[in-house]
Amino acid sequence: MEILRQGGVVALPTETVYGLAANAEDELAVRRVFAIKGRPATHPLIVHLAGVDALPDWARSIPEEARRLAAAFWPGPLTLVLPRTSRATDAVTGGQDTVALRVPAHPVALAVLRELGGGLAAPSANRFGRVSPTTAEHVRHDLGNDVDLVLDGGPSIVGVESTIVDLSSGAPAILRPGGLAAEELERVLGYPVPVRTASTVRVSGTLASHYAPRVGVVLVEPSEALARVEALRLQGLQVGFLGPSTLSLPRELIRLDIPEDPAGAARLLYLRLREADVAGLDVLVACLPPAQGLGLAVRDRLSRAAAPRTPEA
């Protein structure tokens, strides 16, 4: 805890992915997080809180929908975007008048937050634009000695980042699909919550290229998988396949299986993308799941992993 109080940076587990945490009210520590990740300063961070009681300290306006969602899903993989108080600095918000807030569900993260008595700015503990870490080993591999301490809380049980919902003005909208399904939000609110692909509010993880392994990724629907794999192999490429084991494909193909159920696919997605990078592949053919439940988040991550790479990614 003294590391955080003295301006240090700690990697800690959450139920979604491992986060690179700094005291959200220590601007120098927050800027160090940006430097370690290589993250643009205009790209805002999520502030993690110990409980819903801390919400008024960071959000100056809390609509009834936000209170209902927080009561239903915190602690958990839900981030709420709300108008900020002065406690949320420009370093955290990227200069915006909004702040992204969530209460993580991992006992280690919650224990640290309760002991700290404040908020933690904690983006994923990896280099900017790359595949997020779901184990302490991933963090050590990616960041090495740049982090003051790595807390090992075991593998992340959700496996993809939180769902981000904008409640800063107007009706709720999903800005980033994640570990909480849209259907669950709609069950609590009683009406559809759209995914907003274009927004004036900047949030984490929504650049076109993100969550990207070093190997190139080609996306396919299940019915297209065999034809695409064969076409790429005819070009003399070393091809890998990411998708369910039930699809019939060439036996000698390097396969990185993920479950057919969306929650299982989300849990293993980043691990499999990392395995693709060490398998000596020229290209990874990735099968898209249905856009339902957590399948929407998996499709989102795969689409960004396959997008043309930006200089940062």
PDB file of all heavy atoms in Angstrom, residues 245-277:
ATOM      1  N   SER A 245     -13.536 -26.005 -31.370  1.00  0.00           N
ATOM      2  CA  SER A 245     -12.926 -27.257 -31.821  1.00  0.00           C
ATOM      3  C   SER A 245     -13.870 -28.089 -32.665  1.00  0.00           C
ATOM      4  O   SER A 245     -13.439 -29.061 -33.306  1.00  0.00           O
ATOM      5  CB  SER A 245     -12.473 -28.079 -30.608  1.00  0.00           C
ATOM      6  OG  SER A 245     -13.594 -28.384 -29.777  1.00  0.00           O
ATOM      7  N   THR A 246     -15.135 -27.738 -32.705  1.00  0.00           N
ATOM      8  CA  THR A 246     -16.128 -28.527 -33.433  1.00  0.00           C
ATOM      9  C   THR A 246     -16.052 -28.343 -34.945  1.00  0.00           C
ATOM     10  O   THR A 246     -16.603 -29.148 -35.685  1.00  0.00           O
ATOM     11  CB  THR A 246     -17.546 -28.150 -32.961  1.00  0.00           C
ATOM     12  OG1 THR A 246     -17.693 -26.723 -33.017  1.00  0.00           O
ATOM     13  CG2 THR A 246     -17.778 -28.621 -31.527  1.00  0.00           C
ATOM     14  N   LEU A 247     -15.379 -27.277 -35.413  1.00  0.00           N
ATOM     15  CA  LEU A 247     -15.275 -27.061 -36.856  1.00  0.00           C
ATOM     16  C   LEU A 247     -14.285 -28.048 -37.463  1.00  0.00           C
ATOM     17  O   LEU A 247     -13.206 -28.289 -36.918  1.00  0.00           O
ATOM     18  CB  LEU A 247     -14.823 -25.636 -37.154  1.00  0.00           C
ATOM     19  CG  LEU A 247     -15.878 -24.536 -37.000  1.00  0.00           C
ATOM     20  CD1 LEU A 247     -15.275 -23.182 -37.314  1.00  0.00           C
ATOM     21  CD2 LEU A 247     -17.075 -24.792 -37.900  1.00  0.00           C
ATOM     22  N   SER A 248     -14.640 -28.621 -38.614  1.00  0.00           N
ATOM     23  CA  SER A 248     -13.788 -29.572 -39.308  1.00  0.00           C
ATOM     24  C   SER A 248     -12.794 -28.825 -40.186  1.00  0.00           C
ATOM     25  O   SER A 248     -13.186 -28.129 -41.139  1.00  0.00           O
ATOM     26  CB  SER A 248     -14.646 -30.513 -40.165  1.00  0.00           C
ATOM     27  OG  SER A 248     -13.835 -31.426 -40.859  1.00  0.00           O
ATOM     28  N   LEU A 249     -11.509 -28.953 -39.863  1.00  0.00           N
ATOM     29  CA  LEU A 249     -10.441 -28.250 -40.572  1.00  0.00           C
ATOM     30  C   LEU A 249      -9.269 -29.204 -40.762  1.00  0.00           C
ATOM     31  O   LEU A 249      -9.228 -30.276 -40.141  1.00  0.00           O
ATOM     32  CB  LEU A 249     -10.011 -27.017 -39.772  1.00  0.00           C
ATOM     33  CG  LEU A 249     -11.052 -25.908 -39.642  1.00  0.00           C
ATOM     34  CD1 LEU A 249     -10.642 -24.908 -38.573  1.00  0.00           C
ATOM     35  CD2 LEU A 249     -11.274 -25.206 -40.973  1.00  0.00           C
ATOM     36  N   PRO A 250      -8.291 -28.871 -41.607  1.00  0.00           N
ATOM     37  CA  PRO A 250      -7.146 -29.763 -41.822  1.00  0.00           C
ATOM     38  C   PRO A 250      -6.474 -30.169 -40.514  1.00  0.00           C
ATOM     39  O   PRO A 250      -6.257 -29.334 -39.635  1.00  0.00           O
ATOM     40  CB  PRO A 250      -6.208 -28.912 -42.694  1.00  0.00           C
ATOM     41  CG  PRO A 250      -7.121 -27.982 -43.421  1.00  0.00           C
ATOM     42  CD  PRO A 250      -8.222 -27.668 -42.460  1.00  0.00           C
ATOM     43  N   ARG A 251      -6.124 -31.444 -40.401  1.00  0.00           N
ATOM     44  CA  ARG A 251      -5.616 -31.990 -39.152  1.00  0.00           C
ATOM     45  C   ARG A 251      -4.294 -31.356 -38.737  1.00  0.00           C
ATOM     46  O   ARG A 251      -4.011 -31.175 -37.556  1.00  0.00           O
ATOM     47  CB  ARG A 251      -5.463 -33.507 -39.292  1.00  0.00           C
ATOM     48  CG  ARG A 251      -5.053 -34.206 -38.009  1.00  0.00           C
ATOM     49  CD  ARG A 251      -5.125 -35.713 -38.173  1.00  0.00           C
ATOM     50  NE  ARG A 251      -6.482 -36.141 -38.504  1.00  0.00           N
ATOM     51  CZ  ARG A 251      -6.806 -37.402 -38.793  1.00  0.00           C
ATOM     52  NH1 ARG A 251      -5.865 -38.337 -38.806  1.00  0.00           N
ATOM     53  NH2 ARG A 251      -8.065 -37.717 -39.081  1.00  0.00           N
ATOM     54  N   GLU A 252      -3.453 -31.014 -39.718  1.00  0.00           N
ATOM     55  CA  GLU A 252      -2.131 -30.491 -39.401  1.00  0.00           C
ATOM     56  C   GLU A 252      -2.146 -28.992 -39.074  1.00  0.00           C
ATOM     57  O   GLU A 252      -1.114 -28.406 -38.742  1.00  0.00           O
ATOM     58  CB  GLU A 252      -1.174 -30.736 -40.574  1.00  0.00           C
ATOM     59  CG  GLU A 252      -1.559 -30.012 -41.863  1.00  0.00           C
ATOM     60  CD  GLU A 252      -2.561 -30.785 -42.707  1.00  0.00           C
ATOM     61  OE1 GLU A 252      -3.241 -31.684 -42.170  1.00  0.00           O
ATOM     62  OE2 GLU A 252      -2.670 -30.476 -43.912  1.00  0.00           O
ATOM     63  N   LEU A 253      -3.295 -28.374 -39.132  1.00  0.00           N
ATOM     64  CA  LEU A 253      -3.421 -26.949 -38.835  1.00  0.00           C
ATOM     65  C   LEU A 253      -3.135 -26.684 -37.353  1.00  0.00           C
ATOM     66  O   LEU A 253      -3.537 -27.462 -36.480  1.00  0.00           O
ATOM     67  CB  LEU A 253      -4.842 -26.494 -39.168  1.00  0.00           C
ATOM     68  CG  LEU A 253      -5.147 -24.994 -39.117  1.00  0.00           C
ATOM     69  CD1 LEU A 253      -4.440 -24.271 -40.250  1.00  0.00           C
ATOM     70  CD2 LEU A 253      -6.651 -24.764 -39.216  1.00  0.00           C
ATOM     71  N   ILE A 254      -2.428 -25.588 -37.054  1.00  0.00           N
ATOM     72  CA  ILE A 254      -2.236 -25.166 -35.665  1.00  0.00           C
ATOM     73  C   ILE A 254      -3.543 -24.550 -35.177  1.00  0.00           C
ATOM     74  O   ILE A 254      -3.985 -23.518 -35.679  1.00  0.00           O
ATOM     75  CB  ILE A 254      -1.082 -24.151 -35.549  1.00  0.00           C
ATOM     76  CG1 ILE A 254       0.234 -24.813 -35.920  1.00  0.00           C
ATOM     77  CG2 ILE A 254      -1.013 -23.580 -34.131  1.00  0.00           C
ATOM     78  CD1 ILE A 254       1.416 -23.880 -35.935  1.00  0.00           C
ATOM     79  N   ARG A 255      -4.156 -25.200 -34.199  1.00  0.00           N
ATOM     80  CA  ARG A 255      -5.465 -24.771 -33.718  1.00  0.00           C
ATOM     81  C   ARG A 255      -5.347 -24.206 -32.309  1.00  0.00           C
ATOM     82  O   ARG A 255      -4.698 -24.803 -31.444  1.00  0.00           O
ATOM     83  CB  ARG A 255      -6.454 -25.937 -33.730  1.00  0.00           C
ATOM     84  CG  ARG A 255      -6.711 -26.498 -35.117  1.00  0.00           C
ATOM     85  CD  ARG A 255      -7.856 -27.480 -35.105  1.00  0.00           C
ATOM     86  NE  ARG A 255      -9.120 -26.850 -34.763  1.00  0.00           N
ATOM     87  CZ  ARG A 255     -10.289 -27.180 -35.302  1.00  0.00           C
ATOM     88  NH1 ARG A 255     -10.353 -28.109 -36.231  1.00  0.00           N
ATOM     89  NH2 ARG A 255     -11.387 -26.586 -34.914  1.00  0.00           N
ATOM     90  N   LEU A 256      -5.985 -23.085 -32.110  1.00  0.00           N
ATOM     91  CA  LEU A 256      -6.072 -22.455 -30.797  1.00  0.00           C
ATOM     92  C   LEU A 256      -7.551 -22.430 -30.432  1.00  0.00           C
ATOM     93  O   LEU A 256      -8.292 -21.513 -30.803  1.00  0.00           O
ATOM     94  CB  LEU A 256      -5.477 -21.040 -30.835  1.00  0.00           C
ATOM     95  CG  LEU A 256      -4.012 -20.978 -31.272  1.00  0.00           C
ATOM     96  CD1 LEU A 256      -3.587 -19.530 -31.498  1.00  0.00           C
ATOM     97  CD2 LEU A 256      -3.119 -21.639 -30.241  1.00  0.00           C
ATOM     98  N   ASP A 257      -7.995 -23.472 -29.738  1.00  0.00           N
ATOM     99  CA  ASP A 257      -9.421 -23.658 -29.499  1.00  0.00           C
ATOM    100  C   ASP A 257      -9.940 -22.728 -28.405  1.00  0.00           C
ATOM    101  O   ASP A 257      -9.275 -22.487 -27.395  1.00  0.00           O
ATOM    102  CB  ASP A 257      -9.701 -25.104 -29.084  1.00  0.00           C
ATOM    103  CG  ASP A 257      -9.444 -26.092 -30.207  1.00  0.00           C
ATOM    104  OD1 ASP A 257      -9.470 -25.676 -31.379  1.00  0.00           O
ATOM    105  OD2 ASP A 257      -9.200 -27.287 -29.912  1.00  0.00           O
ATOM    106  N   ILE A 258     -11.132 -22.199 -28.633  1.00  0.00           N
ATOM    107  CA  ILE A 258     -11.887 -21.508 -27.592  1.00  0.00           C
ATOM    108  C   ILE A 258     -13.286 -22.102 -27.573  1.00  0.00           C
ATOM    109  O   ILE A 258     -13.781 -22.601 -28.585  1.00  0.00           O
ATOM    110  CB  ILE A 258     -11.951 -19.973 -27.816  1.00  0.00           C
ATOM    111  CG1 ILE A 258     -12.535 -19.635 -29.188  1.00  0.00           C
ATOM    112  CG2 ILE A 258     -10.588 -19.336 -27.632  1.00  0.00           C
ATOM    113  CD1 ILE A 258     -12.736 -18.134 -29.404  1.00  0.00           C
ATOM    114  N   PRO A 259     -13.948 -22.085 -26.413  1.00  0.00           N
ATOM    115  CA  PRO A 259     -15.277 -22.699 -26.311  1.00  0.00           C
ATOM    116  C   PRO A 259     -16.306 -22.017 -27.210  1.00  0.00           C
ATOM    117  O   PRO A 259     -16.162 -20.854 -27.588  1.00  0.00           O
ATOM    118  CB  PRO A 259     -15.633 -22.515 -24.830  1.00  0.00           C
ATOM    119  CG  PRO A 259     -14.338 -22.323 -24.132  1.00  0.00           C
ATOM    120  CD  PRO A 259     -13.463 -21.601 -25.111  1.00  0.00           C
ATOM    121  N   GLU A 260     -17.343 -22.764 -27.522  1.00  0.00           N
ATOM    122  CA  GLU A 260     -18.437 -22.171 -28.299  1.00  0.00           C
ATOM    123  C   GLU A 260     -19.279 -21.218 -27.458  1.00  0.00           C
ATOM    124  O   GLU A 260     -19.846 -20.265 -27.991  1.00  0.00           O
ATOM    125  CB  GLU A 260     -19.315 -23.278 -28.877  1.00  0.00           C
ATOM    126  CG  GLU A 260     -18.683 -24.007 -30.037  1.00  0.00           C
ATOM    127  CD  GLU A 260     -19.654 -24.946 -30.723  1.00  0.00           C
ATOM    128  OE1 GLU A 260     -20.027 -25.963 -30.110  1.00  0.00           O
ATOM    129  OE2 GLU A 260     -20.034 -24.648 -31.874  1.00  0.00           O
ATOM    130  N   ASP A 261     -19.371 -21.479 -26.140  1.00  0.00           N
ATOM    131  CA  ASP A 261     -20.182 -20.580 -25.335  1.00  0.00           C
ATOM    132  C   ASP A 261     -19.442 -19.246 -25.173  1.00  0.00           C
ATOM    133  O   ASP A 261     -18.223 -19.207 -24.979  1.00  0.00           O
ATOM    134  CB  ASP A 261     -20.482 -21.190 -23.971  1.00  0.00           C
ATOM    135  CG  ASP A 261     -19.269 -21.186 -23.065  1.00  0.00           C
ATOM    136  OD1 ASP A 261     -18.394 -22.060 -23.251  1.00  0.00           O
ATOM    137  OD2 ASP A 261     -19.177 -20.316 -22.181  1.00  0.00           O
ATOM    138  N   PRO A 262     -20.165 -18.116 -25.301  1.00  0.00           N
ATOM    139  CA  PRO A 262     -19.517 -16.802 -25.322  1.00  0.00           C
ATOM    140  C   PRO A 262     -18.691 -16.491 -24.087  1.00  0.00           C
ATOM    141  O   PRO A 262     -17.608 -15.904 -24.183  1.00  0.00           O
ATOM    142  CB  PRO A 262     -20.695 -15.827 -25.462  1.00  0.00           C
ATOM    143  CG  PRO A 262     -21.779 -16.620 -26.112  1.00  0.00           C
ATOM    144  CD  PRO A 262     -21.616 -18.003 -25.569  1.00  0.00           C
ATOM    145  N   ALA A 263     -19.166 -16.871 -22.901  1.00  0.00           N
ATOM    146  CA  ALA A 263     -18.410 -16.586 -21.682  1.00  0.00           C
ATOM    147  C   ALA A 263     -17.085 -17.345 -21.675  1.00  0.00           C
ATOM    148  O   ALA A 263     -16.041 -16.798 -21.282  1.00  0.00           O
ATOM    149  CB  ALA A 263     -19.230 -16.936 -20.448  1.00  0.00           C
ATOM    150  N   GLY A 264     -17.104 -18.594 -22.102  1.00  0.00           N
ATOM    151  CA  GLY A 264     -15.876 -19.365 -22.188  1.00  0.00           C
ATOM    152  C   GLY A 264     -14.921 -18.807 -23.213  1.00  0.00           C
ATOM    153  O   GLY A 264     -13.701 -18.778 -23.002  1.00  0.00           O
ATOM    154  N   ALA A 265     -15.455 -18.350 -24.346  1.00  0.00           N
ATOM    155  CA  ALA A 265     -14.612 -17.743 -25.380  1.00  0.00           C
ATOM    156  C   ALA A 265     -13.959 -16.470 -24.869  1.00  0.00           C
ATOM    157  O   ALA A 265     -12.770 -16.221 -25.108  1.00  0.00           O
ATOM    158  CB  ALA A 265     -15.449 -17.453 -26.622  1.00  0.00           C
ATOM    159  N   ALA A 266     -14.714 -15.652 -24.147  1.00  0.00           N
ATOM    160  CA  ALA A 266     -14.163 -14.409 -23.602  1.00  0.00           C
ATOM    161  C   ALA A 266     -13.045 -14.712 -22.607  1.00  0.00           C
ATOM    162  O   ALA A 266     -12.006 -14.041 -22.593  1.00  0.00           O
ATOM    163  CB  ALA A 266     -15.268 -13.600 -22.928  1.00  0.00           C
ATOM    164  N   ARG A 267     -13.234 -15.722 -21.780  1.00  0.00           N
ATOM    165  CA  ARG A 267     -12.257 -16.041 -20.737  1.00  0.00           C
ATOM    166  C   ARG A 267     -10.907 -16.432 -21.325  1.00  0.00           C
ATOM    167  O   ARG A 267      -9.857 -16.134 -20.754  1.00  0.00           O
ATOM    168  CB  ARG A 267     -12.803 -17.163 -19.852  1.00  0.00           C
ATOM    169  CG  ARG A 267     -11.974 -17.450 -18.613  1.00  0.00           C
ATOM    170  CD  ARG A 267     -12.634 -18.508 -17.746  1.00  0.00           C
ATOM    171  NE  ARG A 267     -13.994 -18.121 -17.385  1.00  0.00           N
ATOM    172  CZ  ARG A 267     -15.096 -18.755 -17.778  1.00  0.00           C
ATOM    173  NH1 ARG A 267     -15.003 -19.831 -18.535  1.00  0.00           N
ATOM    174  NH2 ARG A 267     -16.289 -18.329 -17.414  1.00  0.00           N
ATOM    175  N   LEU A 268     -10.907 -17.118 -22.474  1.00  0.00           N
ATOM    176  CA  LEU A 268      -9.668 -17.629 -23.050  1.00  0.00           C
ATOM    177  C   LEU A 268      -9.138 -16.793 -24.211  1.00  0.00           C
ATOM    178  O   LEU A 268      -8.041 -17.063 -24.717  1.00  0.00           O
ATOM    179  CB  LEU A 268      -9.878 -19.066 -23.534  1.00  0.00           C
ATOM    180  CG  LEU A 268     -10.074 -20.124 -22.450  1.00  0.00           C
ATOM    181  CD1 LEU A 268     -10.244 -21.496 -23.092  1.00  0.00           C
ATOM    182  CD2 LEU A 268      -8.901 -20.144 -21.489  1.00  0.00           C
ATOM    183  N   LEU A 269      -9.877 -15.792 -24.649  1.00  0.00           N
ATOM    184  CA  LEU A 269      -9.528 -15.075 -25.875  1.00  0.00           C
ATOM    185  C   LEU A 269      -8.111 -14.513 -25.845  1.00  0.00           C
ATOM    186  O   LEU A 269      -7.301 -14.754 -26.753  1.00  0.00           O
ATOM    187  CB  LEU A 269     -10.530 -13.952 -26.133  1.00  0.00           C
ATOM    188  CG  LEU A 269     -10.213 -13.055 -27.336  1.00  0.00           C
ATOM    189  CD1 LEU A 269     -10.249 -13.865 -28.637  1.00  0.00           C
ATOM    190  CD2 LEU A 269     -11.172 -11.884 -27.399  1.00  0.00           C
ATOM    191  N   TYR A 270      -7.777 -13.720 -24.827  1.00  0.00           N
ATOM    192  CA  TYR A 270      -6.478 -13.066 -24.799  1.00  0.00           C
ATOM    193  C   TYR A 270      -5.342 -14.069 -24.626  1.00  0.00           C
ATOM    194  O   TYR A 270      -4.249 -13.890 -25.169  1.00  0.00           O
ATOM    195  CB  TYR A 270      -6.438 -12.010 -23.709  1.00  0.00           C
ATOM    196  CG  TYR A 270      -7.295 -10.798 -23.994  1.00  0.00           C
ATOM    197  CD1 TYR A 270      -7.842 -10.058 -22.949  1.00  0.00           C
ATOM    198  CD2 TYR A 270      -7.564 -10.390 -25.289  1.00  0.00           C
ATOM    199  CE1 TYR A 270      -8.628  -8.934 -23.200  1.00  0.00           C
ATOM    200  CE2 TYR A 270      -8.349  -9.286 -25.559  1.00  0.00           C
ATOM    201  CZ  TYR A 270      -8.879  -8.563 -24.500  1.00  0.00           C
ATOM    202  OH  TYR A 270      -9.657  -7.448 -24.753  1.00  0.00           O
ATOM    203  N   LEU A 271      -5.578 -15.131 -23.856  1.00  0.00           N
ATOM    204  CA  LEU A 271      -4.573 -16.175 -23.726  1.00  0.00           C
ATOM    205  C   LEU A 271      -4.256 -16.785 -25.081  1.00  0.00           C
ATOM    206  O   LEU A 271      -3.084 -16.980 -25.451  1.00  0.00           O
ATOM    207  CB  LEU A 271      -5.056 -17.258 -22.765  1.00  0.00           C
ATOM    208  CG  LEU A 271      -4.158 -18.495 -22.632  1.00  0.00           C
ATOM    209  CD1 LEU A 271      -2.802 -18.119 -22.065  1.00  0.00           C
ATOM    210  CD2 LEU A 271      -4.842 -19.553 -21.777  1.00  0.00           C
ATOM    211  N   ARG A 272      -5.291 -17.078 -25.871  1.00  0.00           N
ATOM    212  CA  ARG A 272      -5.087 -17.689 -27.186  1.00  0.00           C
ATOM    213  C   ARG A 272      -4.394 -16.713 -28.148  1.00  0.00           C
ATOM    214  O   ARG A 272      -3.544 -17.126 -28.951  1.00  0.00           O
ATOM    215  CB  ARG A 272      -6.417 -18.150 -27.768  1.00  0.00           C
ATOM    216  CG  ARG A 272      -7.068 -19.266 -26.979  1.00  0.00           C
ATOM    217  CD  ARG A 272      -6.268 -20.560 -27.098  1.00  0.00           C
ATOM    218  NE  ARG A 272      -6.941 -21.666 -26.420  1.00  0.00           N
ATOM    219  CZ  ARG A 272      -6.561 -22.176 -25.256  1.00  0.00           C
ATOM    220  NH1 ARG A 272      -5.495 -21.675 -24.622  1.00  0.00           N
ATOM    221  NH2 ARG A 272      -7.219 -23.179 -24.716  1.00  0.00           N
ATOM    222  N   LEU A 273      -4.719 -15.435 -28.092  1.00  0.00           N
ATOM    223  CA  LEU A 273      -4.035 -14.462 -28.952  1.00  0.00           C
ATOM    224  C   LEU A 273      -2.553 -14.385 -28.604  1.00  0.00           C
ATOM    225  O   LEU A 273      -1.697 -14.235 -29.488  1.00  0.00           O
ATOM    226  CB  LEU A 273      -4.691 -13.093 -28.823  1.00  0.00           C
ATOM    227  CG  LEU A 273      -6.086 -12.954 -29.435  1.00  0.00           C
ATOM    228  CD1 LEU A 273      -6.640 -11.551 -29.193  1.00  0.00           C
ATOM    229  CD2 LEU A 273      -6.080 -13.259 -30.935  1.00  0.00           C
ATOM    230  N   ARG A 274      -2.239 -14.483 -27.332  1.00  0.00           N
ATOM    231  CA  ARG A 274      -0.830 -14.492 -26.928  1.00  0.00           C
ATOM    232  C   ARG A 274      -0.144 -15.770 -27.409  1.00  0.00           C
ATOM    233  O   ARG A 274       1.021 -15.736 -27.850  1.00  0.00           O
ATOM    234  CB  ARG A 274      -0.723 -14.364 -25.404  1.00  0.00           C
ATOM    235  CG  ARG A 274      -1.025 -12.966 -24.907  1.00  0.00           C
ATOM    236  CD  ARG A 274      -1.099 -12.884 -23.394  1.00  0.00           C
ATOM    237  NE  ARG A 274      -1.281 -11.505 -22.982  1.00  0.00           N
ATOM    238  CZ  ARG A 274      -0.298 -10.650 -22.711  1.00  0.00           C
ATOM    239  NH1 ARG A 274       0.963 -11.059 -22.785  1.00  0.00           N
ATOM    240  NH2 ARG A 274      -0.553  -9.412 -22.360  1.00  0.00           N
ATOM    241  N   GLU A 275      -0.835 -16.894 -27.340  1.00  0.00           N
ATOM    242  CA  GLU A 275      -0.259 -18.147 -27.835  1.00  0.00           C
ATOM    243  C   GLU A 275      -0.002 -18.075 -29.338  1.00  0.00           C
ATOM    244  O   GLU A 275       0.983 -18.654 -29.834  1.00  0.00           O
ATOM    245  CB  GLU A 275      -1.194 -19.309 -27.510  1.00  0.00           C
ATOM    246  CG  GLU A 275      -1.254 -19.632 -26.022  1.00  0.00           C
ATOM    247  CD  GLU A 275      -2.301 -20.671 -25.681  1.00  0.00           C
ATOM    248  OE1 GLU A 275      -3.168 -20.953 -26.541  1.00  0.00           O
ATOM    249  OE2 GLU A 275      -2.276 -21.192 -24.558  1.00  0.00           O
ATOM    250  N   ALA A 276      -0.856 -17.356 -30.066  1.00  0.00           N
ATOM    251  CA  ALA A 276      -0.645 -17.202 -31.502  1.00  0.00           C
ATOM    252  C   ALA A 276       0.669 -16.496 -31.797  1.00  0.00           C
ATOM    253  O   ALA A 276       1.345 -16.788 -32.800  1.00  0.00           O
ATOM    254  CB  ALA A 276      -1.814 -16.421 -32.121  1.00  0.00           C
ATOM    255  N   ASP A 277       1.057 -15.569 -30.923  1.00  0.00           N
ATOM    256  CA  ASP A 277       2.298 -14.823 -31.137  1.00  0.00           C
ATOM    257  C   ASP A 277       3.549 -15.667 -30.928  1.00  0.00           C
ATOM    258  O   ASP A 277       4.615 -15.333 -31.447  1.00  0.00           O
ATOM    259  CB  ASP A 277       2.336 -13.604 -30.216  1.00  0.00           C
ATOM    260  CG  ASP A 277       1.696 -12.380 -30.845  1.00  0.00           C
ATOM    261  OD1 ASP A 277       1.514 -12.367 -32.081  1.00  0.00           O
ATOM    262  OD2 ASP A 277       1.384 -11.431 -30.108  1.00  0.00           O
TER     263      ASP A 277
END
